[in-house]
Amino acid sequence: MPELPEVETVCRGLASSLEGSCFAHVTVRRSDLRIPFPKNFAANLKGRKICKIYRRAKYILMSLDDGNALIIHLGMSGRMVISKKSARAETHDHVVFTTDSGVEVRYNDPRRFGLMTLAPEKDLDDHKLFSHLGVDPLSEAFSPEMLARALKGRSTAIKPALLDQRIIVGVGNIYACESLHRAGISPRRKAGTITKKRALCLVRAIKDVLDEAISAGGSSLRDHVQPTGELGYFQHAWKVY
């Protein structure tokens, strides 16, 4: 599953091509992905201006001019790829977005574990997809003090604690492994023992690893590509994963 750097990379790639444009046409080729598409999904998107594209946790959000947000999760194998309009549709191209500026973006997902839905943007904090989520590790709120507080009293190992999206969002196996290695912390150490100096080292390592991965376009194992179709390159910098 794409982790924070991969989703951030996709958001930035889409933003440069889509922000400020309107959806001229949306083609939906099936009734559902992980969840059903909302009723009149394509019709409700047609003509809407894309004001901003940004990431929340592992979700891609498109802020629309009617006050709604298009919520996209890539699941295990989803891709958002900018394509030529003349390109032949692939078997797993489930949704095709075309803008008034002539850009076409295809959502391709062989395993169909991704999702797309619409929700009022002002209500996202209380939305069932987001209300349980923890702090973003690239935000100022993610500090050594916050991490130590969240881990206090936990007897589970630190690696699964980092994977708990209720504590920190977007960190999966790849970046938990790399961050712990860089911080010099065993993945088997009890989470509750991560205080003071260790918390400082770990927070710094997580932020640095994620920033470096984003700069490299993410990590491409099997499915991740940037919206241009280019692979990510951070897998060449892995130390332990």
Side-chain angles (χ1 to χ4, degrees), residues 2 14 26 29 35 41 57 60 78 83 99 108 132 149 153 157 166 177 181 184 235 238:
L14 293 175
V26 179
R29 295 201 166 108
I35 62 174
F41 178 68
I60 299 164
S83 64
T99 71
N108 183 284
H132 65 289
R149 244 186 346 262
R166 296 168 298 179
C177 289
H181 174 72
Q235 65 272 18
W238 292 346

Side-chain angles (χ1 to χ4, degrees), residues 93-109:
D93 285 344
H94 303 308
V95 185
V96 180
F97 303 93
T98 306
T99 71
D100 59 351
S101 59
V103 175
E104 183 174 279
V105 177
R106 299 183 182 191
Y107 176 76
N108 183 284
D109 188 356

Side-chain angles (χ1 to χ4, degrees), residues 46-227:
K46 188 174 180 179
R48 298 272 61 88
K49 183 178 180 180
I50 306 160
C51 301
K52 184 180 179 182
I53 299 177
Y54 60 103
R55 176 189 57 78
R56 181 178 285 204
K58 297 180 183 180
Y59 291 87
I60 299 164
L61 295 176
M62 296 191 187
S63 177
L64 306 176
D65 64 349
D66 63 352
N68 283 319
L70 170 57
I71 304 169
I72 302 171
H73 194 280
L74 299 175
M76 297 293 292
S77 59
R79 299 178 173 188
M80 297 284 288
V81 180
I82 299 168
S83 64
K84 295 181 180 179
K85 293 178 69 174
S86 59
R88 186 172 182 175
E90 297 184 13
T91 302
H92 301 295
D93 285 344
H94 303 308
V95 185
V96 180
F97 303 93
T98 306
T99 71
D100 59 351
S101 59
V103 175
E104 183 174 279
V105 177
R106 299 183 182 191
Y107 176 76
N108 183 284
D109 188 356
R111 300 179 72 178
R112 301 197 305 275
F113 288 163
L115 66 81
M116 290 188 192
T117 192
L118 288 163
E121 190 168 21
K122 64 181 178 60
D123 297 333
L124 289 181
D125 286 345
D126 299 318
H127 194 283
K128 62 183 180 180
L129 293 174
F130 303 107
S131 60
H132 65 289
L133 295 177
V135 69
D136 192 291
L138 294 182
S139 70
E140 292 183 2
F142 183 56
S143 65
E145 294 76 19
M146 172 268 148
L147 182 61
R149 244 186 346 262
L151 297 178
K152 186 177 180 180
R154 290 179 178 262
S155 59
T156 186
I158 182 58
K159 185 185 172 186
L162 293 181
L163 303 183
D164 187 341
Q165 301 298 294
R166 296 168 298 179
I167 301 174
I168 311 166
V169 299
V171 178
N173 275 318
I174 294 172
Y175 301 110
C177 289
E178 294 300 314
S179 298
L180 287 167
H181 174 72
R182 187 174 296 197
I185 296 172
S186 167
R188 294 184 289 272
R189 173 176 282 278
K190 287 187 177 181
T193 67
I194 304 299
T195 59
K196 297 182 180 178
K197 185 178 180 180
R198 288 194 183 95
L200 177 64
C201 291
L202 184 52
V203 166
R204 184 182 295 134
I206 290 171
K207 288 179 180 285
D208 287 348
V209 166
L210 294 177
D211 281 336
E212 291 169 23
I214 291 168
S215 296
S219 298
S220 290
L221 279 171
R222 180 183 303 170
D223 299 301
H224 169 65
V225 294
Q226 301 178 57

Side-chain angles (χ1 to χ4, degrees), residues 11-23:
C11 283
R12 294 183 185 186
L14 293 175
S16 64
S17 296
L18 300 183
E19 282 185 354
S21 298
C22 296
F23 288 120

